[in-house]
Amino acid sequence: MSQGNNVAGYHRYDRILLESNRRSLQNRPVGNGESACGMPPITILFVRTAFFYLVAGLATGILMESLSNCGNPVLAGVLLSEYVHMLTVGWLTQLIFGVAYWMFPQNKDSAPWHERVPHFVFYSLNLGLVIRIIVEPLIRLQDAAELGLLLVLAAVLQFMAALGFTIICWSRVRGKRNA
Amino acid sequence: MPELTVLAVRLSLLYLLIGFALGAAILVNEAYPISARLWSFTKLHLDCLLLGFMVQLALGVAFWILPRFMKGAPRGKESIAWAALALLNAGIVLAGLASVIAIPWLEICGRVLEMAGGLLFLVHAWRRLYASEVICRP
């Protein structure tokens, strides 16, 4: 990876997010002697998206409860899996992924392709989750077997995201002797 | 980071992989029914991700970042935390497998081990949860 691709240690894909981060820092009140240090751009992306899923998940909970009380428990039951996965994968897991990239020490000896993996993990996890949220209820409600391949794609994408996260974090988590 | 944290986080990453692999298999089974038996892995999928991944990662990182003592062992009695980690993992494996082969009493034993692990970690962490004399600005 050439130096030109990096801005202060971040991959070139992070440039837009870095710029957005700089703009928000300019608007942030900074007291005397307080340093304005932010978090890696990919963490911001993970955490903001995680909050989106939190709101979406809670909204789905309201919808399920309303459907249940309006005499449509079948539809509410169909949405249960989506509700659970929005909160556990979209919110909790995504928040953990984002904070882990920020918190675990970076490995200076890691291969250049490691820089791309967090972005792959982000898009893979979210694409897989969105496909699942849309397709799974359709298959359950309409028995739309032709959409089955999309559900397989969602499963593969989400597993690949977990694999990518494991590969990156495995090398970052190390004892003092190897640090 | 301390060895316990390294082990706990790496174990949690393995549980993450196993949990997502099981979840993917269950999802594929929903689209193209392979075997009805795959549904019996749902509890194991939940255990791997909620306890094996999330709880274990939280405990491992907590052991690393909670305040340390100025005198004596900086992280207190580490053996208690090691025992907690061992019990938690024994419980997850036992309860998870028992749910697959449908042996309720064995699953209860696993849950008891998980709870004992959580309690032991609480015993370890209790004294490390203290307020700083200097109040830091957020």
Side-chain angles (χ1 to χ4, degrees), chain A residues 88 92-93 96 103 105 132 136 140 148-149 152 155 158-159 162-163 165-166 169-170 173-177, chain B residues 1 3 5-6 9-10 13-14 16-17 20-21 24 27-28 30-32 45 53-54 57 61 64-65 137:
Chain A
T88 53
L92 281 174
T93 305
I96 289 170
M103 198 169 179
R132 183 222 176 101
E136 197 179 20
R140 284 186 176 176
L149 267 180
V152 175
Q158 288 179 89
F159 176 73
L163 187 63
F165 179 76
T166 302
C169 283
W170 195 272
V173 178
R174 56 197 190 276
K176 281 178 184 170
R177 272 172 290 177
Chain B
M1 50 183 76
E3 280 178 20
T5 300
V6 175
V9 174
R10 286 189 170 169
L13 290 172
L14 288 178
L16 171 77
L17 270 186
F20 264 66
L27 201 57
V28 170
E30 197 173 329
Y32 300 103
H45 162 66
F53 171 54
M54 289 181 188
L57 186 74
V61 173
W64 176 32
I65 64 169
R137 285 173 60 193

Side-chain angles (χ1 to χ4, degrees), chain A residues 162 166 170, chain B residues 7-22 44-54 56-57 85-94:
Chain A
T166 302
W170 195 272
Chain B
L7 183 69
V9 174
R10 286 189 170 169
L11 279 173
S12 76
L13 290 172
L14 288 178
Y15 279 115
L16 171 77
L17 270 186
I18 296 168
F20 264 66
L22 286 172
L44 183 62
H45 162 66
L46 282 173
D47 274 354
C48 283
L49 291 173
L50 289 180
L51 295 170
F53 171 54
M54 289 181 188
Q56 187 149 230
L57 186 74
L85 196 70
L87 283 173
L88 180 72
N89 281 284
I92 294 167
V93 172
L94 199 62

Side-chain angles (χ1 to χ4, degrees), chain B:
Chain B
M1 50 183 76
E3 280 178 20
L4 184 138
T5 300
V6 175
L7 183 69
V9 174
R10 286 189 170 169
L11 279 173
S12 76
L13 290 172
L14 288 178
Y15 279 115
L16 171 77
L17 270 186
I18 296 168
F20 264 66
L22 286 172
I26 293 167
L27 201 57
V28 170
N29 193 48
E30 197 173 329
Y32 300 103
I34 304 161
S35 162
R37 222 180 122 60
L38 263 174
W39 289 107
S40 64
F41 286 85
T42 308
K43 259 187 171 175
L44 183 62
H45 162 66
L46 282 173
D47 274 354
C48 283
L49 291 173
L50 289 180
L51 295 170
F53 171 54
M54 289 181 188
V55 172
Q56 187 149 230
L57 186 74
L59 296 186
V61 173
F63 181 80
W64 176 32
I65 64 169
L66 282 178
R68 282 172 282 177
F69 300 117
M70 301 291 280
K71 292 175 186 171
R75 289 188 171 87
K77 285 184 181 174
E78 292 195 10
S79 54
I80 298 178
W82 280 105
L85 196 70
L87 283 173
L88 180 72
N89 281 284
I92 294 167
V93 172
L94 199 62
L97 292 179
S99 71
V100 174
I101 52 178
I103 306 178
W105 65 266
L106 200 60
E107 195 178 335
I108 292 169
C109 289
R111 302 287 172 216
V112 171
L113 288 178
E114 288 167 358
M115 193 193 68
L119 269 176
L120 267 188
F121 196 86
L122 177 69
V123 169
H124 161 82
W126 191 264
R127 285 185 61 232
R128 289 180 67 187
L129 300 168
Y130 58 86
S132 168
E133 288 179 12
V134 182
I135 296 169
C136 304
R137 285 173 60 193

